[in-house]
Amino acid sequence: RSVRSNKQRGQVEKLMNAWTGPWEVIEKVAGSSYLLKHRDTGKTGKRHAAFLSPFPPQLLPLLPIDGPDNRYGQLHRPISPAAYKNAGIKG
């Protein structure tokens, strides 16, 4: 299912697919398909593995790669260990 364009939110229809999760895998069926159950509504459905993506238990920031750009960016102050919190990103 595609997402309709929305100028106010800056969404372009052809560049984005709707996210409908979280789903729980109930069983593996023929081929590369899985029988799924929606965690909130209890609705069941079958999807091919190509359309599924794992949901991480926790999002962790990666340490930046050491290089000239990174060193220049940290001349006066190192990158904060709570960078997402300081940017106002919850999760």
Side-chain angles (χ1 to χ4, degrees):
R1 144 180 108 107
S2 296
V3 174
R4 297 182 75 182
S5 296
N6 187 335
K7 186 176 182 180
Q8 292 175 341
R9 296 172 98 184
Q11 292 179 342
V12 179
E13 177 180 359
K14 294 183 179 180
L15 301 178
M16 190 174 186
N17 288 324
W19 184 77
T20 61
W23 294 87
E24 180 180 354
V25 176
I26 298 173
E27 68 177 278
K28 185 178 185 321
V29 292
S32 297
S33 296
Y34 292 90
L35 187 61
L36 307 171
K37 178 181 174 187
H38 197 273
R39 299 286 306 259
D40 298 335
T41 63
K43 178 182 170 184
T44 59
K46 185 176 104 173
R47 297 291 282 173
H48 189 272
F51 298 106
L52 302 176
S53 61
F55 187 76
Q58 184 178 5
L59 294 175
L60 299 174
L62 298 173
L63 294 175
I65 298 173
D66 187 30
D69 290 338
N70 187 26
R71 288 183 187 196
Y72 181 76
Q74 297 186 53
L75 279 176
H76 304 291
R77 188 175 68 185
I79 294 175
S80 169
Y84 288 149
K85 185 177 180 181
N86 293 343
I89 300 172
K90 297 179 182 177

